[in-house]
Amino acid sequence: MWGRHREAFSMYKRMPSRDHSTLVDDVEENSALLQNSMDVETTNPSWLLSFPHVVVATISSLLFGYHLGVVNEPLESISIDLGFRGNTLAEGLVVSTCLGGAFIGSLFSGWIADSAGRRRAFQLCALPMIIGAATSATTRTLAGMLIGRFLVGTGMGIGPPVASLYLAEVSPASLRGTYGSFIQIATCLGLMGALFIGIPVREIAGWWRICFWVSTVPAGILAFAMIFCAESPHWLYKKGRSAEAEAEFERLLGGSHVKYAMLELSKLDRGDEADTVKLSEVFRGRHFRVVYIGSTLFALQQLSGINAVFYFSSSVFKSAGVPSDVANALIGVANLTGSIVAMLLMDKLGRKLLLLWSFFGMTMSMVLQVAAANSYVSGSGSLYLSVGGMLMFVLTFALGAGPVPGLLLPEIFPNRIRAKAMAFCMSVHWVINFFVGLLFLRLLEQLGPQLLYSIFASVCMMAVIFVKKNVMETKGKSLQEIEIALLPPE
């Protein structure tokens, strides 16, 4: 405990004299409170208090994963029933329209989370998902399907950044990594749920409508259960509602930890939100570095080729004689297994180490894919390398590159810009995701698998170097300690 305060104090000593004097005054004012909270902070808050709130929030990630995969199995049946069978453009639009909606939703997610609060943002995320899913389930036309998919996409765009914000702000520092991994696990479960619910579509006519109706249940639960969940104390304090922030800290951490939590919060945030955060603040001055780190991490995550693997893995497995449903199940199991291991290790090994080994493992996996595409490798050897490399790629992605950026970004962003910075970084995520999905098959055809997979391997190796040089370890640190370490004083 004292080690952390000595570390923070050493940072203060390097600041200009006028800032140093201000901080000395703050230390003197809070010394009595700090002394009283010393014994409390040596024990971590009980996970039982915050766990229910975190579980409800991750329903948004379950829905996110479900809607990403819900049309994969039923797409042929949908095209027959709605009259666009054989129209590859229409089929592509049914799959990708939700990505356009997600981009729009992510652009507004920061404004919604800052103005309405985190809880209300979850409810506003669930609403278009319910309306959009119902529209898709009842439509008789392609236009109706596209409208429904777009509405669902807007909810998908709002949900992930708000979930990352909320989990970072309501979780005890000792559990923030574990709870952050719940987002990736819930997304995996949603993807696998979409796969299994879509299996009967081949035997039961019109079953694809049930696939859409099913998603309205968890969306309704999310909207209703959020009424009983805690609001983010960080958001309340930023709005000047300190008494409510204390009450929510008591619900999340227990009464004995409230004073210390409020002291930590007051180190940098003064509870004065009279001046609105401008979008330009996200891209310049003292905030530029953390936004650069966050947006680059998301860009490298998507440019690694992970979504190309998710979208087009069936063709690789089919060439190896593996049925598509078995292939999807294997990908889902690899993704879920990696996510569970990441959850267990996140607060033990830390974010940076998981990121480094994850991107390095993805590099080696792509090297296997390059070897599989080499003409000197025999047929059966090539298939084993290709399938093994793909499963290893998904597994190592889920160990770090998948869950860590969504957790790390709200940790490194200061409270003042956190929501809007997350919105910007998620927009980068969706734009690159869209273009990777759009161009992958064309690039595979033009460049060939060896060169394309070599490019993906190079991107993963660049990510290793970037993480090594730019990412700080946030394990066990409060959000205020992280902000002090990363940002120079104003």
Side-chain angles (χ1 to χ4, degrees):
M1 172 63 197
W2 274 114
R4 292 200 309 190
H5 285 287
R6 283 198 298 270
E7 181 184 350
F9 184 69
S10 67
M11 293 175 192
Y12 300 155
K13 288 172 66 179
R14 295 192 292 271
M15 295 178 182
S17 58
R18 55 188 175 84
D19 297 320
H20 178 74
S21 63
T22 302
L23 288 163
V24 168
D25 292 340
D26 288 344
V27 170
E28 290 175 351
E29 290 173 10
N30 293 312
S31 59
L33 181 56
L34 185 60
Q35 182 62 41
N36 292 336
S37 63
M38 291 295 294
D39 295 333
V40 172
E41 219 271 329
T42 55
T43 59
N44 294 320
S46 171
W47 64 272
L48 291 171
L49 296 173
S50 51
F51 182 74
H53 309 272
V54 170
V55 169
V56 172
T58 52
I59 294 175
S60 63
S61 300
L62 180 80
L63 287 163
F64 174 77
Y66 186 87
H67 283 295
L68 276 181
V70 71
V71 297
N72 287 356
E73 286 290 332
L75 184 58
E76 185 178 353
S77 297
I78 293 171
S79 65
I80 294 171
D81 286 359
L82 300 186
F84 59 89
R85 186 179 188 181
N87 186 337
T88 55
L89 176 61
E91 291 177 355
L93 285 173
V94 170
V95 173
S96 62
T97 298
C98 69
L99 297 181
F103 173 71
I104 301 298
S106 66
L107 285 178
F108 288 97
S109 63
W111 176 80
I112 293 170
D114 268 346
S115 58
R118 310 327 190 206
R119 286 194 311 171
R120 189 62 57 82
F122 278 117
Q123 293 174 321
L124 292 173
C125 147
L127 184 61
M129 285 189 168
I130 294 172
I131 297 173
T135 302
S136 296
T138 56
T139 188
R140 300 291 174 182
T141 64
L142 173 61
M145 175 60 68
L146 296 181
I147 291 170
R149 292 289 286 163
F150 182 83
L151 287 172
V152 163
T154 59
M156 289 170 62
I158 297 170
V162 175
S164 296
L165 282 173
Y166 186 77
L167 264 63
E169 293 175 343
V170 305
S171 304
S174 59
L175 293 171
R176 202 165 53 235
T178 302
Y179 283 165
S181 300
F182 284 13
I183 291 176
Q184 182 74 5
I185 292 174
T187 303
C188 294
L189 292 174
L191 282 165
M192 295 177 74
L195 166 68
F196 289 119
I197 199 72
I199 290 175
V201 80
R202 298 170 188 170
E203 286 79 32
I204 304 174
W207 181 259
W208 63 267
R209 298 185 186 275
I210 303 296
C211 296
F212 288 105
W213 278 121
V214 164
S215 68
T216 62
V217 176
I221 292 173
L222 173 64
F224 178 73
M226 264 297 152
I227 298 172
F228 307 100
C229 289
E231 181 55 270
S232 163
H234 292 255
W235 180 78
L236 290 168
Y237 191 83
K238 189 168 71 168
K239 291 294 183 181
R241 295 156 62 177
S242 300
E244 294 175 64
E246 285 192 38
E248 298 295 36
F249 268 136
E250 185 168 0
R251 291 179 67 188
L252 293 164
L253 306 178
S256 59
H257 293 268
V258 171
K259 287 185 178 180
Y260 184 83
M262 290 299 293
L263 174 61
E264 284 286 289
L265 198 55
S266 67
K267 284 181 181 177
L268 294 170
D269 301 311
R270 301 300 178 187
D272 181 12
E273 189 67 2
D275 54 328
T276 304
V277 179
K278 297 177 181 177
L279 193 61
S280 58
E281 291 185 57
V282 176
F283 307 112
R284 68 182 185 196
R286 66 196 297 261
H287 296 133
F288 173 77
R289 183 185 172 218
V290 289
V291 176
Y292 161 72
I293 292 172
S295 56
T296 303
L297 265 182
F298 264 135
L300 290 169
Q301 181 199 63
Q302 295 304 304
L303 290 171
S304 70
I306 184 60
N307 280 314
V309 169
F310 279 135
Y311 295 155
F312 306 109
S313 59
S314 295
S315 60
V316 173
F317 282 101
K318 191 179 294 182
S319 66
V322 180
S324 62
D325 53 349
V326 176
N328 290 332
L330 288 173
I331 291 289
V333 169
N335 197 8
L336 182 60
T337 302
S339 300
I340 292 173
V341 174
M343 177 190 70
L344 298 174
L345 298 179
M346 192 77 73
D347 284 317
K348 291 182 173 65
L349 298 182
R351 288 53 150 162
K352 185 171 183 176
L353 192 61
L354 284 181
L355 268 181
L356 286 171
W357 282 106
S358 175
F359 277 120
F360 182 74
M362 292 164 70
T363 304
M364 294 299 101
S365 303
M366 277 299 164
V367 169
L368 290 180
Q369 294 281 32
V370 172
N374 194 304
S375 58
Y376 294 105
V377 179
S378 64
S380 59
S382 174
L383 291 176
Y384 285 131
L385 283 175
S386 184
V387 172
M390 187 163 288
L391 290 176
M392 179 179 167
F393 188 81
V394 173
L395 177 67
T396 52
F397 169 82
L399 284 172
V404 171
L407 165 66
L408 186 70
L409 268 58
E411 288 184 323
I412 66 174
F413 293 148
N415 197 20
R416 177 175 167 76
I417 68 159
R418 187 172 292 136
K420 289 183 172 61
M422 278 298 299
F424 170 75
C425 291
M426 284 303 299
S427 300
V428 170
H429 167 278
W430 282 114
V431 169
I432 297 178
N433 187 346
F434 173 79
F435 281 108
V436 168
L438 179 69
L439 299 174
F440 174 74
L441 287 179
R442 184 66 183 270
L443 289 173
L444 187 62
E445 180 183 286
Q446 296 291 323
L447 302 178
Q450 269 193 293
L451 181 55
L452 183 57
Y453 290 143
S454 296
I455 292 172
F456 286 149
S458 300
V459 171
C460 293
M461 202 63 221
M462 287 169 55
V464 173
I465 297 169
F466 178 83
V467 170
K468 182 71 174 175
K469 289 186 175 181
N470 295 282
V471 174
M472 71 167 283
E473 183 52 67
T474 59
K475 178 188 70 171
K477 294 182 173 68
S478 72
L479 297 179
Q480 286 66 42
E481 288 174 313
I482 297 167
E483 183 174 344
I484 291 170
L486 278 174
L487 293 178
E490 289 182 310

PDB file of all heavy atoms in Angstrom, residues 52 71 162 231 275 311 347 435 451:
ATOM      1  N   PRO A  52     -23.138  -8.882  -9.485  1.00  0.00           N
ATOM      2  CA  PRO A  52     -24.437  -8.839 -10.191  1.00  0.00           C
ATOM      3  C   PRO A  52     -24.537  -7.696 -11.196  1.00  0.00           C
ATOM      4  O   PRO A  52     -25.109  -7.863 -12.287  1.00  0.00           O
ATOM      5  CB  PRO A  52     -25.459  -8.667  -9.052  1.00  0.00           C
ATOM      6  CG  PRO A  52     -24.750  -9.128  -7.821  1.00  0.00           C
ATOM      7  CD  PRO A  52     -23.311  -8.787  -8.027  1.00  0.00           C
ATOM      8  N   VAL A  71     -27.135 -14.519 -38.582  1.00  0.00           N
ATOM      9  CA  VAL A  71     -27.569 -14.765 -39.968  1.00  0.00           C
ATOM     10  C   VAL A  71     -26.688 -15.773 -40.691  1.00  0.00           C
ATOM     11  O   VAL A  71     -26.967 -16.121 -41.845  1.00  0.00           O
ATOM     12  CB  VAL A  71     -27.618 -13.448 -40.787  1.00  0.00           C
ATOM     13  CG1 VAL A  71     -28.637 -12.491 -40.207  1.00  0.00           C
ATOM     14  CG2 VAL A  71     -26.249 -12.809 -40.878  1.00  0.00           C
ATOM     15  N   VAL A 162     -19.873   1.210 -24.072  1.00  0.00           N
ATOM     16  CA  VAL A 162     -20.506   1.501 -22.780  1.00  0.00           C
ATOM     17  C   VAL A 162     -20.214   0.374 -21.790  1.00  0.00           C
ATOM     18  O   VAL A 162     -19.959   0.627 -20.603  1.00  0.00           O
ATOM     19  CB  VAL A 162     -22.026   1.713 -22.951  1.00  0.00           C
ATOM     20  CG1 VAL A 162     -22.700   1.890 -21.589  1.00  0.00           C
ATOM     21  CG2 VAL A 162     -22.292   2.934 -23.813  1.00  0.00           C
ATOM     22  N   GLU A 231     -25.387   3.029 -10.804  1.00  0.00           N
ATOM     23  CA  GLU A 231     -24.838   3.951 -11.789  1.00  0.00           C
ATOM     24  C   GLU A 231     -23.342   4.085 -11.526  1.00  0.00           C
ATOM     25  O   GLU A 231     -22.872   3.860 -10.406  1.00  0.00           O
ATOM     26  CB  GLU A 231     -25.531   5.317 -11.695  1.00  0.00           C
ATOM     27  CG  GLU A 231     -25.053   6.360 -12.692  1.00  0.00           C
ATOM     28  CD  GLU A 231     -25.131   5.903 -14.143  1.00  0.00           C
ATOM     29  OE1 GLU A 231     -24.127   5.317 -14.629  1.00  0.00           O
ATOM     30  OE2 GLU A 231     -26.174   6.118 -14.775  1.00  0.00           O
ATOM     31  N   ASP A 275     -18.167  22.712 -17.970  1.00  0.00           N
ATOM     32  CA  ASP A 275     -17.693  22.861 -19.341  1.00  0.00           C
ATOM     33  C   ASP A 275     -17.770  21.527 -20.059  1.00  0.00           C
ATOM     34  O   ASP A 275     -17.262  20.528 -19.592  1.00  0.00           O
ATOM     35  CB  ASP A 275     -16.239  23.371 -19.340  1.00  0.00           C
ATOM     36  CG  ASP A 275     -15.326  22.504 -18.509  1.00  0.00           C
ATOM     37  OD1 ASP A 275     -15.814  21.930 -17.503  1.00  0.00           O
ATOM     38  OD2 ASP A 275     -14.148  22.391 -18.865  1.00  0.00           O
ATOM     39  N   TYR A 311     -14.798 -14.725 -40.364  1.00  0.00           N
ATOM     40  CA  TYR A 311     -15.776 -14.665 -41.450  1.00  0.00           C
ATOM     41  C   TYR A 311     -15.597 -15.782 -42.476  1.00  0.00           C
ATOM     42  O   TYR A 311     -16.566 -16.255 -43.062  1.00  0.00           O
ATOM     43  CB  TYR A 311     -15.683 -13.316 -42.173  1.00  0.00           C
ATOM     44  CG  TYR A 311     -16.057 -12.115 -41.335  1.00  0.00           C
ATOM     45  CD1 TYR A 311     -15.554 -10.859 -41.634  1.00  0.00           C
ATOM     46  CD2 TYR A 311     -16.908 -12.241 -40.240  1.00  0.00           C
ATOM     47  CE1 TYR A 311     -15.887  -9.753 -40.877  1.00  0.00           C
ATOM     48  CE2 TYR A 311     -17.246 -11.144 -39.470  1.00  0.00           C
ATOM     49  CZ  TYR A 311     -16.733  -9.897 -39.791  1.00  0.00           C
ATOM     50  OH  TYR A 311     -17.059  -8.811 -39.024  1.00  0.00           O
ATOM     51  N   ASP A 347      -5.713 -10.610 -13.999  1.00  0.00           N
ATOM     52  CA  ASP A 347      -5.305  -9.889 -12.795  1.00  0.00           C
ATOM     53  C   ASP A 347      -4.110 -10.528 -12.108  1.00  0.00           C
ATOM     54  O   ASP A 347      -3.696 -10.073 -11.043  1.00  0.00           O
ATOM     55  CB  ASP A 347      -6.482  -9.787 -11.816  1.00  0.00           C
ATOM     56  CG  ASP A 347      -7.492  -8.739 -12.255  1.00  0.00           C
ATOM     57  OD1 ASP A 347      -7.060  -7.650 -12.670  1.00  0.00           O
ATOM     58  OD2 ASP A 347      -8.707  -9.021 -12.209  1.00  0.00           O
ATOM     59  N   PHE A 435     -13.732  -2.861 -43.697  1.00  0.00           N
ATOM     60  CA  PHE A 435     -12.882  -2.963 -44.881  1.00  0.00           C
ATOM     61  C   PHE A 435     -12.142  -4.292 -44.940  1.00  0.00           C
ATOM     62  O   PHE A 435     -11.909  -4.822 -46.036  1.00  0.00           O
ATOM     63  CB  PHE A 435     -11.903  -1.782 -44.934  1.00  0.00           C
ATOM     64  CG  PHE A 435     -12.536  -0.523 -45.434  1.00  0.00           C
ATOM     65  CD1 PHE A 435     -12.799   0.533 -44.582  1.00  0.00           C
ATOM     66  CD2 PHE A 435     -12.902  -0.401 -46.766  1.00  0.00           C
ATOM     67  CE1 PHE A 435     -13.397   1.692 -45.040  1.00  0.00           C
ATOM     68  CE2 PHE A 435     -13.497   0.757 -47.246  1.00  0.00           C
ATOM     69  CZ  PHE A 435     -13.753   1.808 -46.378  1.00  0.00           C
ATOM     70  N   LEU A 451       1.361 -14.407 -49.433  1.00  0.00           N
ATOM     71  CA  LEU A 451       1.657 -12.982 -49.234  1.00  0.00           C
ATOM     72  C   LEU A 451       0.667 -12.347 -48.262  1.00  0.00           C
ATOM     73  O   LEU A 451       1.068 -11.571 -47.380  1.00  0.00           O
ATOM     74  CB  LEU A 451       1.626 -12.257 -50.585  1.00  0.00           C
ATOM     75  CG  LEU A 451       1.951 -10.750 -50.535  1.00  0.00           C
ATOM     76  CD1 LEU A 451       3.287 -10.508 -49.856  1.00  0.00           C
ATOM     77  CD2 LEU A 451       1.936 -10.164 -51.949  1.00  0.00           C
TER      78      LEU A 451
END
